[in-house]
Amino acid sequence: MTVVESGAGAAASGEVAEGAALLAENAWLRARVAELLTDIAGLVAREATREAEVVELRLQLEALQAELATLRRMLFGRSSERECGGSPAVGSPDGGDGCGDGARGEAAGSAGRRRGPGARSGRRSYDHLSRDEVDCDFEGGGYGCLSCGQPFTPWGEHVVEQLDWLVTVRVRVSRRRRYRRGCRCGGSLTVTAPGPSKAIGKGLFTHRFLAMLIVERYVAGRSQNSLVTGLARHGAQLSPATLTGACAQVAGLLAPLAEQIVGRSRGSWHLHADETTWRVFTPTGGGGPARWWLWVFLGPDSVCFVMDATRSTAVLAEHVGLDPDSGQLTDDADGGPRRLVLSSDFYTVYVSAGRRADGLVNLYCWAHARRYFVRAGDANPAQLGIWARQWVERIRALYTAHGELAAAWHTAAAAPSPATEKRLAAAYAGWDTAITVIDTVRREQTASPGLQEPARKALATLDREWDGLVAHRDYPMIGMDNNPAERAIRGPVVTRRNAGGSRTEDTARHAATIFTVTATAAMHNLNLLTYLENYLDACGRAGGKPPTGADLDRFLPWAASPEDLTTWQQPPG
């Protein structure tokens, strides 16, 4: 082989080796590109996941901001009901009053206008209070000229009246005279004059003290520690156990009266219903504090409180008379079908009861519905502020229309005439116009895309409870909200917050008994101190037991005589 051939062969071999190297490098590059493409695909997928997480976090942030705005409004803000004008159901037995304390409609008249500083001129008259006359004169009596000493002649007097608040804890001593026989006739050798009646046989307290204790503890909402400290401040050192025992004994005496009120409430044709939590610290068989529930049922002339360990349908069913199996209302005493109108919020117990029972009509609270729109506006003021205000105005117009409908209905019922019937027809037309506007707007906005979640939830609530909201048209004598029940339960809530709850289950049930009696008496404008003192006097006359029969019925406000009602409305003598 020649040298040239050898060089050519070597060059070919080099080219082959270089080609192989290039191919190997190309394969490596392809593999590297494939790896990079896989990495890129993974990065794209992770980026999409991150974007989805960011969107979800933004939605969660908006929800939390909306919840924070709502909680701030509830805790620190002014009540939304105070901003809503509207007319109440004038003359309604339950006293429904539209959107809280807002401006009244024309149907309410001048009596419903808000009063404040400067609304009245002059001071109130306190001539009904007892008077303590004090004569004020110069030392030694009279006055003389400082220069010559000649005495001044009397020239009338300057009278100044002030209110004096005197709290006195004193010991009441009753001395019962005893007599011994001086003759030799048969019979007892000694006799003792009768003393004051005592509702609690060997109790330490007078009836007035017990009445004051019940009012301060359960109506004014003072805690046990506050009462013990306050009494000690006036010189009476009493143990909490003594006061607790006295309250329990008074609750036992009030129990038959409360049972009569419960029976009256169960027979009512219309009830406002609400419930709130109540803590029991040492429940029977429990290892720690338990959350109970305090229910209130407000009728036309009665207020009934029920303390129960659950918030289930069983409590409502037992009170209003729902059959546990069929869910239907039990028949009236005469065997006829019974109907019940129930004003409430949107709690599922009331909703499910209304759907099952044929004769039960649910009237849902428009004030609660309005809050959903107000809170939606608070959640996002920039985008939903105007939207929420527009909804508030629509509901305000509905309240105004309902106020006119209620006034026209009461006028037509009291004095039927062509004029009143015409006014009633016009009022129904006004209601229909206002509710049609709300119905049309809610349907249009629900179908529109891009609506924010708080607004969508408010509209969904309105749609879900629509039947119970529009049912107010058939009952113009009843207010459009459940505010009467919320106001009735407000006092016990204050007591719960100050005292924390009840120590045992028995004390919790005693509280419900006392709330029932005192709230019903307050509904009829009775002075609680006078009313309770008179009832305890009756218990004392009955030998330390609750009165029975006509003596018990006498203390039911709807069965009491006008003379008793007038007496019980006055301050204690």
Side-chain angles (χ1 to χ4, degrees), residues 253 297 324 386 484:
L253 295 173
F297 299 97
I386 298 177

Side-chain angles (χ1 to χ4, degrees), residues 70-332:
T70 300
L71 293 176
R72 282 180 174 175
R73 176 66 176 264
M74 295 172 61
L75 187 60
F76 303 110
R78 185 184 180 189
S79 174
S80 60
E81 276 71 34
R82 293 182 179 271
E83 300 173 2
C84 177
S87 301
V90 181
S92 61
D94 54 86
D97 63 344
C99 287
D101 297 331
R104 309 291 190 184
E106 293 181 0
S110 59
R113 295 174 184 170
R114 183 186 303 175
R115 291 184 176 182
R120 63 165 66 242
S121 59
R123 290 182 176 178
R124 298 180 185 270
S125 173
Y126 297 99
D127 294 338
H128 60 284
L129 298 178
S130 60
R131 307 177 76 84
D132 182 20
E133 302 286 348
V134 178
D135 293 329
C136 302
D137 203 346
F138 294 98
E139 184 177 357
Y143 189 81
C145 178
L146 298 179
S147 299
C148 65
Q150 182 177 357
F152 282 32
T153 58
W155 189 55
E157 60 185 8
H158 178 65
V159 179
V160 177
E161 293 184 354
Q162 293 177 301
L163 290 181
D164 187 22
W165 190 351
L166 182 64
V167 179
T168 303
V169 182
R170 60 186 181 181
V171 177
R172 180 178 176 181
V173 181
S174 300
R175 290 187 172 88
R176 301 172 60 190
R177 297 295 183 182
R178 300 182 65 185
Y179 299 90
R180 188 175 62 180
R181 179 182 295 278
C183 61
R184 295 186 178 182
C185 300
S188 302
L189 295 177
T190 61
V191 293
T192 304
S197 63
K198 300 184 70 174
I200 301 176
K202 296 184 179 180
L204 177 63
F205 308 120
T206 65
H207 297 165
R208 182 171 298 182
F209 186 101
L210 293 174
M212 179 69 75
L213 174 63
I214 294 299
V215 170
E216 290 294 315
R217 179 70 178 85
Y218 294 96
V219 180
R222 295 182 64 180
S223 65
Q224 193 79 287
N225 180 66
S226 173
L227 287 172
V228 171
T229 304
L231 289 169
R233 195 176 292 122
H234 293 284
Q237 301 289 342
L238 296 172
S239 69
T242 302
L243 298 182
T244 301
C247 290
Q249 289 177 300
V250 173
L253 295 173
L254 293 174
L257 185 60
E259 290 177 2
Q260 295 290 329
I261 297 174
V262 171
R264 181 77 171 186
S265 177
R266 288 175 174 172
S268 300
W269 70 274
H270 169 245
L271 291 173
H272 284 277
D274 200 7
E275 72 289 330
T276 187
T277 57
W278 192 274
R279 187 174 295 276
V280 177
F281 292 100
T282 55
T284 302
R291 185 173 67 172
W292 279 37
W293 295 89
L294 179 66
W295 297 69
V296 61
F297 299 97
L298 179 68
D301 55 5
S302 62
V303 184
C304 178
F305 287 90
V306 177
M307 189 74 71
D308 198 89
T310 66
R311 199 187 180 193
S312 66
T313 311
V315 181
L316 177 66
E318 181 180 359
H319 188 81
V320 303
L322 293 175
D323 186 85
D325 298 326
S326 63
Q328 299 297 321
L329 288 168
T330 56
D331 295 337
D332 285 333

